[in-house]
Amino acid sequence: MEDRKKLLDWAKVEGVSLRGVHATEIPRRGAGMTAARRLKKGEEILQVPIGLVRSLHRVPEDISRKLPSDTSIHALLAADLTMNGKTELGLWKKCLPTLADFSTGMPFMWHQQLQALLPKPAREFLENQLGNFHRDWVRVKKAFPDLQRQDYLYTWLVVNTRSFYYCTPRMELYPPVDRLALVPIADLFNHADTGCSVSFTPEGFAVSADRQYRVGEEIYISYGTHTNDFLLAEYGFVPVANRWDKVSLDDAIIPKLSAVQKEQLRDRELLGPFLLDSKTLGCKKMQAAIRVLCPCSQPRWDWFLDEEGCREHCRERMNAFLKSLLVEYLVKVRSTIQDVAELQEGQSAQRELLGQRWRQIESAVSKAIKRL
Ligand SMILES: C[S@@+](CC[C@H](N)C(=O)[O-])C[C@H]1O[C@@H](n2cnc3c(N)ncnc32)[C@H](O)[C@@H]1O
């Protein structure tokens, strides 16, 4: 608390303006921002001057020169944070989550047995993350042999969970997902599927209220139109409400496809991911896979794939087929929930988070069955 007050005092001196909002502790979310008074829609509630935005341009040359020219911005920002923690960054670092905090939420830090029980998309995001960290760490360790893996991992996860997408002409050379910037104070906003509008301008970073707020209400920004599997892997939490959430049915569908059927779908770039949302009966790829698999359409699968939708005469049979597939998958989901509950490895908070995600999947699949 005291440290956050010092950080906010420092930020004010540096030109950060917080209007009508304050940073506070939110149960199970660490810090967050709440309305200190009634806020009007469109009101600017935060301005961070450009001088405080930490991105590629702020990485000191004594760091960037020692690393290969194609080192990721993520790697550079993490190296800067690890080695330059004593200046004003020290104040900011004191208010960040600890490595122990990350170990609860971030699957990156979990025991392999828990990682293996992640839903497929979350497992894939995690594998990608593990690969990226390994690539960055190998380079940074070679350039700075005294650095400790644990210290670098910590700051790498800080960048992973707290950066904003940002682009300067120089950054256009980097992949879009790596065009990152750290913005102290702005990084105190938690995520919701709809939130305040955020923008970078030549003057800095600004946040404006997306609607009216009452005193004490938490104010969110949106980290993007992400599914809960993505939010779990990248940020270490699963929201209760998320209109962008989708459930992967790859594990239900892919084992059912023959090699030929896979090839047929792959040729048309329809071989997954097979995603179920709360409104439709699956994405276009899933509908195509169902048509390929459904016994009634097999003689004419090609015809069905090319159609906009399934013709009336077989829709019923298709739906019955999808229902049987979902019912079978629901059994698997329930058995995974049981496996997670029986695990001995890892922390109970980690198992709880993983179980929570699987229960959301159970609920999404059950609701889809009812819609059929
Ligand atoms: C940019 S920070 C937001 C501020 C952060 N709560 C803190 O204590 O500094 C992102 C992290 O906040 C947490 N977070 C953000 N939105 C959340 C939400 N809706 N529910 C739970 N945790 C959330 C996650 O731990 C995430 O990695």
Side-chain angles (χ1 to χ4, degrees), residues 4 25 28-32 95-97 102 106 161-164 186-192 218 220 223 231 234-239:
R4 189 167 324 119
E25 280 308 299
R28 292 177 300 282
R29 286 183 206 163
C95 299
L96 297 177
F102 284 138
M106 297 293 290
T161 54
R162 307 185 81 81
S163 47
F164 292 82
D187 64 353
L188 289 168
F189 284 95
N190 287 317
H191 163 88
E218 179 163 9
Y220 300 98
Y223 301 173
L231 292 169
E234 291 290 330
Y235 295 97
F237 70 96
V238 284

PDB file of all heavy atoms in Angstrom, residues 4 25 28-32 95-97 102 106 161-164 186-192 218 220 223 231 234-239, ligand 1:
ATOM      1  N   ARG A   4       2.673   1.538  -3.198  1.00  0.00           N
ATOM      2  CA  ARG A   4       1.841   2.014  -4.307  1.00  0.00           C
ATOM      3  C   ARG A   4       1.603   3.519  -4.189  1.00  0.00           C
ATOM      4  O   ARG A   4       1.590   4.243  -5.185  1.00  0.00           O
ATOM      5  CB  ARG A   4       0.513   1.260  -4.360  1.00  0.00           C
ATOM      6  CG  ARG A   4      -0.196   1.632  -5.640  1.00  0.00           C
ATOM      7  CD  ARG A   4      -1.378   0.802  -6.052  1.00  0.00           C
ATOM      8  NE  ARG A   4      -1.273  -0.585  -5.748  1.00  0.00           N
ATOM      9  CZ  ARG A   4      -2.117  -1.213  -4.941  1.00  0.00           C
ATOM     10  NH1 ARG A   4      -3.099  -0.573  -4.363  1.00  0.00           N
ATOM     11  NH2 ARG A   4      -1.988  -2.490  -4.715  1.00  0.00           N
ATOM     12  N   GLU A  25      -6.774  -2.446  -3.885  1.00  0.00           N
ATOM     13  CA  GLU A  25      -6.703  -3.916  -3.900  1.00  0.00           C
ATOM     14  C   GLU A  25      -8.076  -4.485  -4.244  1.00  0.00           C
ATOM     15  O   GLU A  25      -9.082  -4.046  -3.674  1.00  0.00           O
ATOM     16  CB  GLU A  25      -6.326  -4.435  -2.505  1.00  0.00           C
ATOM     17  CG  GLU A  25      -4.851  -4.364  -2.164  1.00  0.00           C
ATOM     18  CD  GLU A  25      -3.939  -4.990  -3.200  1.00  0.00           C
ATOM     19  OE1 GLU A  25      -4.062  -6.194  -3.461  1.00  0.00           O
ATOM     20  OE2 GLU A  25      -3.106  -4.248  -3.763  1.00  0.00           O
ATOM     21  N   ARG A  28      -8.814 -11.296  -5.132  1.00  0.00           N
ATOM     22  CA  ARG A  28      -8.397 -12.297  -6.138  1.00  0.00           C
ATOM     23  C   ARG A  28      -7.897 -11.709  -7.465  1.00  0.00           C
ATOM     24  O   ARG A  28      -7.746 -12.407  -8.436  1.00  0.00           O
ATOM     25  CB  ARG A  28      -9.513 -13.312  -6.437  1.00  0.00           C
ATOM     26  CG  ARG A  28      -9.831 -14.239  -5.268  1.00  0.00           C
ATOM     27  CD  ARG A  28     -10.983 -15.161  -5.598  1.00  0.00           C
ATOM     28  NE  ARG A  28     -12.189 -14.435  -5.911  1.00  0.00           N
ATOM     29  CZ  ARG A  28     -12.988 -13.875  -5.005  1.00  0.00           C
ATOM     30  NH1 ARG A  28     -12.694 -13.969  -3.724  1.00  0.00           N
ATOM     31  NH2 ARG A  28     -14.067 -13.228  -5.375  1.00  0.00           N
ATOM     32  N   ARG A  29      -7.659 -10.402  -7.514  1.00  0.00           N
ATOM     33  CA  ARG A  29      -7.164  -9.817  -8.766  1.00  0.00           C
ATOM     34  C   ARG A  29      -5.943  -8.956  -8.550  1.00  0.00           C
ATOM     35  O   ARG A  29      -5.523  -8.253  -9.455  1.00  0.00           O
ATOM     36  CB  ARG A  29      -8.228  -8.929  -9.404  1.00  0.00           C
ATOM     37  CG  ARG A  29      -9.317  -9.739 -10.010  1.00  0.00           C
ATOM     38  CD  ARG A  29     -10.310  -8.864 -10.703  1.00  0.00           C
ATOM     39  NE  ARG A  29     -11.558  -9.587 -10.687  1.00  0.00           N
ATOM     40  CZ  ARG A  29     -12.732  -9.092 -10.890  1.00  0.00           C
ATOM     41  NH1 ARG A  29     -12.860  -7.825 -11.150  1.00  0.00           N
ATOM     42  NH2 ARG A  29     -13.801  -9.838 -10.852  1.00  0.00           N
ATOM     43  N   GLY A  30      -5.407  -8.937  -7.334  1.00  0.00           N
ATOM     44  CA  GLY A  30      -4.283  -8.039  -7.063  1.00  0.00           C
ATOM     45  C   GLY A  30      -4.793  -6.616  -7.036  1.00  0.00           C
ATOM     46  O   GLY A  30      -5.852  -6.333  -6.472  1.00  0.00           O
ATOM     47  N   ALA A  31      -4.053  -5.722  -7.706  1.00  0.00           N
ATOM     48  CA  ALA A  31      -4.497  -4.330  -7.749  1.00  0.00           C
ATOM     49  C   ALA A  31      -5.471  -4.136  -8.896  1.00  0.00           C
ATOM     50  O   ALA A  31      -5.528  -4.952  -9.821  1.00  0.00           O
ATOM     51  CB  ALA A  31      -3.293  -3.425  -7.916  1.00  0.00           C
ATOM     52  N   GLY A  32      -6.225  -3.055  -8.837  1.00  0.00           N
ATOM     53  CA  GLY A  32      -7.121  -2.694  -9.931  1.00  0.00           C
ATOM     54  C   GLY A  32      -7.492  -1.236  -9.778  1.00  0.00           C
ATOM     55  O   GLY A  32      -7.058  -0.568  -8.843  1.00  0.00           O
ATOM     56  N   CYS A  95       5.801  -2.636  -6.751  1.00  0.00           N
ATOM     57  CA  CYS A  95       4.334  -2.762  -6.722  1.00  0.00           C
ATOM     58  C   CYS A  95       3.829  -3.880  -7.631  1.00  0.00           C
ATOM     59  O   CYS A  95       2.622  -4.065  -7.772  1.00  0.00           O
ATOM     60  CB  CYS A  95       3.696  -1.443  -7.146  1.00  0.00           C
ATOM     61  SG  CYS A  95       4.132  -0.104  -6.064  1.00  0.00           S
ATOM     62  N   LEU A  96       4.731  -4.588  -8.266  1.00  0.00           N
ATOM     63  CA  LEU A  96       4.306  -5.630  -9.206  1.00  0.00           C
ATOM     64  C   LEU A  96       4.022  -6.942  -8.474  1.00  0.00           C
ATOM     65  O   LEU A  96       4.522  -7.157  -7.361  1.00  0.00           O
ATOM     66  CB  LEU A  96       5.420  -5.880 -10.229  1.00  0.00           C
ATOM     67  CG  LEU A  96       5.791  -4.705 -11.133  1.00  0.00           C
ATOM     68  CD1 LEU A  96       6.965  -5.080 -12.033  1.00  0.00           C
ATOM     69  CD2 LEU A  96       4.600  -4.292 -11.968  1.00  0.00           C
ATOM     70  N   PRO A  97       3.264  -7.831  -9.103  1.00  0.00           N
ATOM     71  CA  PRO A  97       3.096  -9.170  -8.510  1.00  0.00           C
ATOM     72  C   PRO A  97       4.469  -9.834  -8.347  1.00  0.00           C
ATOM     73  O   PRO A  97       5.403  -9.502  -9.086  1.00  0.00           O
ATOM     74  CB  PRO A  97       2.264  -9.924  -9.552  1.00  0.00           C
ATOM     75  CG  PRO A  97       1.728  -8.903 -10.484  1.00  0.00           C
ATOM     76  CD  PRO A  97       2.590  -7.694 -10.400  1.00  0.00           C
ATOM     77  N   PHE A 102       2.853 -15.148  -9.640  1.00  0.00           N
ATOM     78  CA  PHE A 102       2.793 -15.725 -10.989  1.00  0.00           C
ATOM     79  C   PHE A 102       2.648 -17.244 -10.918  1.00  0.00           C
ATOM     80  O   PHE A 102       2.001 -17.848 -11.764  1.00  0.00           O
ATOM     81  CB  PHE A 102       4.052 -15.383 -11.798  1.00  0.00           C
ATOM     82  CG  PHE A 102       4.093 -13.967 -12.304  1.00  0.00           C
ATOM     83  CD1 PHE A 102       5.263 -13.222 -12.257  1.00  0.00           C
ATOM     84  CD2 PHE A 102       2.964 -13.369 -12.853  1.00  0.00           C
ATOM     85  CE1 PHE A 102       5.308 -11.917 -12.730  1.00  0.00           C
ATOM     86  CE2 PHE A 102       2.997 -12.066 -13.328  1.00  0.00           C
ATOM     87  CZ  PHE A 102       4.172 -11.336 -13.263  1.00  0.00           C
ATOM     88  N   MET A 106      -0.107 -18.511 -13.494  1.00  0.00           N
ATOM     89  CA  MET A 106       0.468 -18.742 -14.821  1.00  0.00           C
ATOM     90  C   MET A 106       0.801 -20.213 -15.051  1.00  0.00           C
ATOM     91  O   MET A 106       1.727 -20.751 -14.413  1.00  0.00           O
ATOM     92  CB  MET A 106       1.760 -17.920 -14.990  1.00  0.00           C
ATOM     93  CG  MET A 106       1.570 -16.418 -14.918  1.00  0.00           C
ATOM     94  SD  MET A 106       0.615 -15.763 -16.297  1.00  0.00           S
ATOM     95  CE  MET A 106       1.732 -15.947 -17.663  1.00  0.00           C
ATOM     96  N   THR A 161       2.553 -10.190 -19.022  1.00  0.00           N
ATOM     97  CA  THR A 161       1.219  -9.955 -18.455  1.00  0.00           C
ATOM     98  C   THR A 161       0.856  -8.471 -18.355  1.00  0.00           C
ATOM     99  O   THR A 161      -0.270  -8.142 -17.995  1.00  0.00           O
ATOM    100  CB  THR A 161       1.119 -10.555 -17.028  1.00  0.00           C
ATOM    101  OG1 THR A 161       2.202 -10.032 -16.249  1.00  0.00           O
ATOM    102  CG2 THR A 161       1.197 -12.065 -17.045  1.00  0.00           C
ATOM    103  N   ARG A 162       1.810  -7.558 -18.628  1.00  0.00           N
ATOM    104  CA  ARG A 162       1.511  -6.146 -18.370  1.00  0.00           C
ATOM    105  C   ARG A 162       1.778  -5.221 -19.543  1.00  0.00           C
ATOM    106  O   ARG A 162       1.715  -3.995 -19.375  1.00  0.00           O
ATOM    107  CB  ARG A 162       2.358  -5.621 -17.187  1.00  0.00           C
ATOM    108  CG  ARG A 162       2.265  -6.448 -15.943  1.00  0.00           C
ATOM    109  CD  ARG A 162       3.004  -5.813 -14.810  1.00  0.00           C
ATOM    110  NE  ARG A 162       2.247  -4.772 -14.168  1.00  0.00           N
ATOM    111  CZ  ARG A 162       1.294  -4.977 -13.265  1.00  0.00           C
ATOM    112  NH1 ARG A 162       0.973  -6.199 -12.920  1.00  0.00           N
ATOM    113  NH2 ARG A 162       0.655  -3.965 -12.724  1.00  0.00           N
ATOM    114  N   SER A 163       2.080  -5.772 -20.720  1.00  0.00           N
ATOM    115  CA  SER A 163       2.435  -4.846 -21.793  1.00  0.00           C
ATOM    116  C   SER A 163       1.237  -4.560 -22.685  1.00  0.00           C
ATOM    117  O   SER A 163       0.258  -5.303 -22.697  1.00  0.00           O
ATOM    118  CB  SER A 163       3.614  -5.389 -22.598  1.00  0.00           C
ATOM    119  OG  SER A 163       3.395  -6.720 -22.897  1.00  0.00           O
ATOM    120  N   PHE A 164       1.352  -3.479 -23.411  1.00  0.00           N
ATOM    121  CA  PHE A 164       0.308  -3.016 -24.342  1.00  0.00           C
ATOM    122  C   PHE A 164       0.860  -3.125 -25.757  1.00  0.00           C
ATOM    123  O   PHE A 164       2.074  -3.018 -25.962  1.00  0.00           O
ATOM    124  CB  PHE A 164      -0.025  -1.547 -24.055  1.00  0.00           C
ATOM    125  CG  PHE A 164      -0.706  -1.331 -22.736  1.00  0.00           C
ATOM    126  CD1 PHE A 164       0.026  -1.253 -21.553  1.00  0.00           C
ATOM    127  CD2 PHE A 164      -2.094  -1.215 -22.673  1.00  0.00           C
ATOM    128  CE1 PHE A 164      -0.610  -1.061 -20.330  1.00  0.00           C
ATOM    129  CE2 PHE A 164      -2.730  -1.022 -21.452  1.00  0.00           C
ATOM    130  CZ  PHE A 164      -1.986  -0.945 -20.280  1.00  0.00           C
ATOM    131  N   ALA A 186      -0.908   2.642 -16.100  1.00  0.00           N
ATOM    132  CA  ALA A 186      -1.970   2.116 -16.979  1.00  0.00           C
ATOM    133  C   ALA A 186      -2.066   0.598 -16.808  1.00  0.00           C
ATOM    134  O   ALA A 186      -3.117   0.004 -17.054  1.00  0.00           O
ATOM    135  CB  ALA A 186      -1.677   2.458 -18.429  1.00  0.00           C
ATOM    136  N   ASP A 187      -0.966  -0.020 -16.399  1.00  0.00           N
ATOM    137  CA  ASP A 187      -0.965  -1.478 -16.260  1.00  0.00           C
ATOM    138  C   ASP A 187      -1.660  -1.942 -14.978  1.00  0.00           C
ATOM    139  O   ASP A 187      -1.624  -3.114 -14.636  1.00  0.00           O
ATOM    140  CB  ASP A 187       0.473  -2.019 -16.319  1.00  0.00           C
ATOM    141  CG  ASP A 187       1.314  -1.527 -15.166  1.00  0.00           C
ATOM    142  OD1 ASP A 187       0.854  -0.679 -14.383  1.00  0.00           O
ATOM    143  OD2 ASP A 187       2.459  -1.992 -15.040  1.00  0.00           O
ATOM    144  N   LEU A 188      -2.300  -0.995 -14.275  1.00  0.00           N
ATOM    145  CA  LEU A 188      -3.047  -1.401 -13.075  1.00  0.00           C
ATOM    146  C   LEU A 188      -4.500  -1.763 -13.403  1.00  0.00           C
ATOM    147  O   LEU A 188      -5.225  -2.268 -12.559  1.00  0.00           O
ATOM    148  CB  LEU A 188      -3.015  -0.267 -12.038  1.00  0.00           C
ATOM    149  CG  LEU A 188      -1.651  -0.059 -11.377  1.00  0.00           C
ATOM    150  CD1 LEU A 188      -1.631   1.235 -10.593  1.00  0.00           C
ATOM    151  CD2 LEU A 188      -1.316  -1.235 -10.461  1.00  0.00           C
ATOM    152  N   PHE A 189      -4.922  -1.511 -14.632  1.00  0.00           N
ATOM    153  CA  PHE A 189      -6.298  -1.862 -15.012  1.00  0.00           C
ATOM    154  C   PHE A 189      -6.408  -3.360 -15.241  1.00  0.00           C
ATOM    155  O   PHE A 189      -5.607  -3.943 -15.975  1.00  0.00           O
ATOM    156  CB  PHE A 189      -6.701  -1.155 -16.311  1.00  0.00           C
ATOM    157  CG  PHE A 189      -7.016   0.303 -16.145  1.00  0.00           C
ATOM    158  CD1 PHE A 189      -6.042   1.257 -16.368  1.00  0.00           C
ATOM    159  CD2 PHE A 189      -8.294   0.716 -15.762  1.00  0.00           C
ATOM    160  CE1 PHE A 189      -6.326   2.612 -16.221  1.00  0.00           C
ATOM    161  CE2 PHE A 189      -8.589   2.062 -15.617  1.00  0.00           C
ATOM    162  CZ  PHE A 189      -7.602   3.022 -15.847  1.00  0.00           C
ATOM    163  N   ASN A 190      -7.425  -3.960 -14.661  1.00  0.00           N
ATOM    164  CA  ASN A 190      -7.730  -5.361 -14.940  1.00  0.00           C
ATOM    165  C   ASN A 190      -8.557  -5.466 -16.223  1.00  0.00           C
ATOM    166  O   ASN A 190      -9.018  -4.457 -16.755  1.00  0.00           O
ATOM    167  CB  ASN A 190      -8.459  -5.991 -13.752  1.00  0.00           C
ATOM    168  CG  ASN A 190      -7.504  -6.210 -12.595  1.00  0.00           C
ATOM    169  OD1 ASN A 190      -6.369  -6.666 -12.792  1.00  0.00           O
ATOM    170  ND2 ASN A 190      -7.932  -5.872 -11.387  1.00  0.00           N
ATOM    171  N   HIS A 191      -8.731  -6.708 -16.661  1.00  0.00           N
ATOM    172  CA  HIS A 191      -9.398  -6.961 -17.945  1.00  0.00           C
ATOM    173  C   HIS A 191     -10.872  -7.350 -17.798  1.00  0.00           C
ATOM    174  O   HIS A 191     -11.242  -8.077 -16.871  1.00  0.00           O
ATOM    175  CB  HIS A 191      -8.668  -8.112 -18.661  1.00  0.00           C
ATOM    176  CG  HIS A 191      -9.456  -8.744 -19.773  1.00  0.00           C
ATOM    177  ND1 HIS A 191      -9.418  -8.288 -21.065  1.00  0.00           N
ATOM    178  CD2 HIS A 191     -10.327  -9.793 -19.776  1.00  0.00           C
ATOM    179  CE1 HIS A 191     -10.208  -9.030 -21.828  1.00  0.00           C
ATOM    180  NE2 HIS A 191     -10.773  -9.953 -21.066  1.00  0.00           N
ATOM    181  N   ALA A 192     -11.683  -6.892 -18.737  1.00  0.00           N
ATOM    182  CA  ALA A 192     -13.036  -7.437 -18.926  1.00  0.00           C
ATOM    183  C   ALA A 192     -13.294  -7.486 -20.426  1.00  0.00           C
ATOM    184  O   ALA A 192     -12.581  -6.842 -21.204  1.00  0.00           O
ATOM    185  CB  ALA A 192     -14.068  -6.566 -18.231  1.00  0.00           C
ATOM    186  N   GLU A 218     -15.424  -1.090 -10.169  1.00  0.00           N
ATOM    187  CA  GLU A 218     -14.129  -1.356 -10.800  1.00  0.00           C
ATOM    188  C   GLU A 218     -14.172  -0.932 -12.265  1.00  0.00           C
ATOM    189  O   GLU A 218     -15.177  -1.135 -12.960  1.00  0.00           O
ATOM    190  CB  GLU A 218     -13.725  -2.838 -10.705  1.00  0.00           C
ATOM    191  CG  GLU A 218     -12.384  -3.043 -11.399  1.00  0.00           C
ATOM    192  CD  GLU A 218     -11.622  -4.323 -11.079  1.00  0.00           C
ATOM    193  OE1 GLU A 218     -12.167  -5.222 -10.421  1.00  0.00           O
ATOM    194  OE2 GLU A 218     -10.448  -4.390 -11.528  1.00  0.00           O
ATOM    195  N   TYR A 220     -12.481  -1.355 -15.946  1.00  0.00           N
ATOM    196  CA  TYR A 220     -11.662  -2.306 -16.707  1.00  0.00           C
ATOM    197  C   TYR A 220     -11.231  -1.717 -18.035  1.00  0.00           C
ATOM    198  O   TYR A 220     -11.862  -0.787 -18.544  1.00  0.00           O
ATOM    199  CB  TYR A 220     -12.468  -3.566 -17.028  1.00  0.00           C
ATOM    200  CG  TYR A 220     -12.974  -4.327 -15.821  1.00  0.00           C
ATOM    201  CD1 TYR A 220     -14.285  -4.153 -15.369  1.00  0.00           C
ATOM    202  CD2 TYR A 220     -12.154  -5.232 -15.150  1.00  0.00           C
ATOM    203  CE1 TYR A 220     -14.756  -4.860 -14.269  1.00  0.00           C
ATOM    204  CE2 TYR A 220     -12.624  -5.942 -14.059  1.00  0.00           C
ATOM    205  CZ  TYR A 220     -13.924  -5.744 -13.630  1.00  0.00           C
ATOM    206  OH  TYR A 220     -14.391  -6.452 -12.545  1.00  0.00           O
ATOM    207  N   TYR A 223      -8.136  -6.481 -22.719  1.00  0.00           N
ATOM    208  CA  TYR A 223      -6.819  -6.863 -23.255  1.00  0.00           C
ATOM    209  C   TYR A 223      -6.959  -7.421 -24.680  1.00  0.00           C
ATOM    210  O   TYR A 223      -5.973  -7.764 -25.308  1.00  0.00           O
ATOM    211  CB  TYR A 223      -6.149  -7.926 -22.374  1.00  0.00           C
ATOM    212  CG  TYR A 223      -5.904  -7.525 -20.917  1.00  0.00           C
ATOM    213  CD1 TYR A 223      -5.440  -8.468 -19.999  1.00  0.00           C
ATOM    214  CD2 TYR A 223      -6.121  -6.234 -20.472  1.00  0.00           C
ATOM    215  CE1 TYR A 223      -5.205  -8.122 -18.673  1.00  0.00           C
ATOM    216  CE2 TYR A 223      -5.894  -5.892 -19.144  1.00  0.00           C
ATOM    217  CZ  TYR A 223      -5.443  -6.839 -18.250  1.00  0.00           C
ATOM    218  OH  TYR A 223      -5.213  -6.503 -16.936  1.00  0.00           O
ATOM    219  N   LEU A 231      -6.555 -16.322 -22.072  1.00  0.00           N
ATOM    220  CA  LEU A 231      -6.344 -15.500 -20.864  1.00  0.00           C
ATOM    221  C   LEU A 231      -5.670 -16.319 -19.767  1.00  0.00           C
ATOM    222  O   LEU A 231      -4.823 -15.808 -19.026  1.00  0.00           O
ATOM    223  CB  LEU A 231      -7.677 -14.921 -20.378  1.00  0.00           C
ATOM    224  CG  LEU A 231      -8.297 -13.866 -21.308  1.00  0.00           C
ATOM    225  CD1 LEU A 231      -9.738 -13.550 -20.899  1.00  0.00           C
ATOM    226  CD2 LEU A 231      -7.464 -12.577 -21.321  1.00  0.00           C
ATOM    227  N   GLU A 234      -1.889 -16.816 -21.021  1.00  0.00           N
ATOM    228  CA  GLU A 234      -1.090 -15.591 -21.148  1.00  0.00           C
ATOM    229  C   GLU A 234      -1.121 -14.709 -19.908  1.00  0.00           C
ATOM    230  O   GLU A 234      -0.163 -13.988 -19.638  1.00  0.00           O
ATOM    231  CB  GLU A 234      -1.584 -14.767 -22.346  1.00  0.00           C
ATOM    232  CG  GLU A 234      -1.298 -15.415 -23.688  1.00  0.00           C
ATOM    233  CD  GLU A 234       0.185 -15.417 -24.062  1.00  0.00           C
ATOM    234  OE1 GLU A 234       0.908 -14.497 -23.649  1.00  0.00           O
ATOM    235  OE2 GLU A 234       0.606 -16.348 -24.766  1.00  0.00           O
ATOM    236  N   TYR A 235      -2.255 -14.724 -19.181  1.00  0.00           N
ATOM    237  CA  TYR A 235      -2.392 -13.786 -18.058  1.00  0.00           C
ATOM    238  C   TYR A 235      -2.648 -14.468 -16.715  1.00  0.00           C
ATOM    239  O   TYR A 235      -2.662 -13.808 -15.684  1.00  0.00           O
ATOM    240  CB  TYR A 235      -3.529 -12.797 -18.331  1.00  0.00           C
ATOM    241  CG  TYR A 235      -3.265 -11.894 -19.509  1.00  0.00           C
ATOM    242  CD1 TYR A 235      -3.783 -12.178 -20.767  1.00  0.00           C
ATOM    243  CD2 TYR A 235      -2.490 -10.740 -19.366  1.00  0.00           C
ATOM    244  CE1 TYR A 235      -3.554 -11.344 -21.855  1.00  0.00           C
ATOM    245  CE2 TYR A 235      -2.257  -9.893 -20.443  1.00  0.00           C
ATOM    246  CZ  TYR A 235      -2.786 -10.204 -21.687  1.00  0.00           C
ATOM    247  OH  TYR A 235      -2.545  -9.384 -22.753  1.00  0.00           O
ATOM    248  N   GLY A 236      -2.957 -15.763 -16.736  1.00  0.00           N
ATOM    249  CA  GLY A 236      -3.108 -16.478 -15.465  1.00  0.00           C
ATOM    250  C   GLY A 236      -4.452 -16.308 -14.779  1.00  0.00           C
ATOM    251  O   GLY A 236      -4.533 -16.393 -13.559  1.00  0.00           O
ATOM    252  N   PHE A 237      -5.519 -16.042 -15.526  1.00  0.00           N
ATOM    253  CA  PHE A 237      -6.842 -16.018 -14.892  1.00  0.00           C
ATOM    254  C   PHE A 237      -7.904 -16.454 -15.900  1.00  0.00           C
ATOM    255  O   PHE A 237      -7.666 -16.415 -17.109  1.00  0.00           O
ATOM    256  CB  PHE A 237      -7.177 -14.618 -14.327  1.00  0.00           C
ATOM    257  CG  PHE A 237      -7.428 -13.571 -15.370  1.00  0.00           C
ATOM    258  CD1 PHE A 237      -8.722 -13.261 -15.777  1.00  0.00           C
ATOM    259  CD2 PHE A 237      -6.382 -12.880 -15.953  1.00  0.00           C
ATOM    260  CE1 PHE A 237      -8.965 -12.291 -16.755  1.00  0.00           C
ATOM    261  CE2 PHE A 237      -6.614 -11.915 -16.928  1.00  0.00           C
ATOM    262  CZ  PHE A 237      -7.892 -11.617 -17.323  1.00  0.00           C
ATOM    263  N   VAL A 238      -9.067 -16.885 -15.361  1.00  0.00           N
ATOM    264  CA  VAL A 238     -10.197 -17.212 -16.246  1.00  0.00           C
ATOM    265  C   VAL A 238     -11.412 -16.409 -15.794  1.00  0.00           C
ATOM    266  O   VAL A 238     -11.930 -16.627 -14.706  1.00  0.00           O
ATOM    267  CB  VAL A 238     -10.537 -18.732 -16.301  1.00  0.00           C
ATOM    268  CG1 VAL A 238      -9.558 -19.492 -17.150  1.00  0.00           C
ATOM    269  CG2 VAL A 238     -10.622 -19.352 -14.948  1.00  0.00           C
ATOM    270  N   PRO A 239     -11.850 -15.451 -16.615  1.00  0.00           N
ATOM    271  CA  PRO A 239     -13.005 -14.657 -16.212  1.00  0.00           C
ATOM    272  C   PRO A 239     -14.273 -15.506 -16.141  1.00  0.00           C
ATOM    273  O   PRO A 239     -14.384 -16.498 -16.858  1.00  0.00           O
ATOM    274  CB  PRO A 239     -13.142 -13.603 -17.314  1.00  0.00           C
ATOM    275  CG  PRO A 239     -12.095 -13.861 -18.304  1.00  0.00           C
ATOM    276  CD  PRO A 239     -11.331 -15.081 -17.940  1.00  0.00           C
TER     277      PRO A 239
HETATM  278  C1  LIG B   1      -1.954  -5.652 -16.351  1.00  0.00           C
HETATM  279  S1  LIG B   1      -2.085  -6.508 -14.880  1.00  0.00           S
HETATM  280  C2  LIG B   1      -3.453  -5.746 -14.079  1.00  0.00           C
HETATM  281  C3  LIG B   1      -3.138  -5.300 -12.671  1.00  0.00           C
HETATM  282  C4  LIG B   1      -2.866  -6.410 -11.695  1.00  0.00           C
HETATM  283  N1  LIG B   1      -4.125  -6.909 -11.126  1.00  0.00           N
HETATM  284  C5  LIG B   1      -1.913  -6.019 -10.571  1.00  0.00           C
HETATM  285  O1  LIG B   1      -2.122  -6.476  -9.435  1.00  0.00           O
HETATM  286  O2  LIG B   1      -0.959  -5.303 -10.821  1.00  0.00           O
HETATM  287  C6  LIG B   1      -2.665  -8.052 -15.461  1.00  0.00           C
HETATM  288  C7  LIG B   1      -2.866  -9.109 -14.403  1.00  0.00           C
HETATM  289  O3  LIG B   1      -3.954  -8.772 -13.561  1.00  0.00           O
HETATM  290  C8  LIG B   1      -4.747  -9.909 -13.266  1.00  0.00           C
HETATM  291  N2  LIG B   1      -6.075  -9.721 -13.875  1.00  0.00           N
HETATM  292  C9  LIG B   1      -6.429  -8.865 -14.847  1.00  0.00           C
HETATM  293  N3  LIG B   1      -7.733  -8.920 -15.104  1.00  0.00           N
HETATM  294  C10 LIG B   1      -8.242  -9.860 -14.298  1.00  0.00           C
HETATM  295  C11 LIG B   1      -9.553 -10.399 -14.103  1.00  0.00           C
HETATM  296  N4  LIG B   1     -10.601  -9.978 -14.782  1.00  0.00           N
HETATM  297  N5  LIG B   1      -9.699 -11.365 -13.159  1.00  0.00           N
HETATM  298  C12 LIG B   1      -8.656 -11.815 -12.447  1.00  0.00           C
HETATM  299  N6  LIG B   1      -7.386 -11.342 -12.590  1.00  0.00           N
HETATM  300  C13 LIG B   1      -7.189 -10.377 -13.494  1.00  0.00           C
HETATM  301  C14 LIG B   1      -4.003 -11.096 -13.863  1.00  0.00           C
HETATM  302  O4  LIG B   1      -3.164 -11.617 -12.874  1.00  0.00           O
HETATM  303  C15 LIG B   1      -3.193 -10.462 -14.975  1.00  0.00           C
HETATM  304  O5  LIG B   1      -2.034 -11.188 -15.300  1.00  0.00           O
END
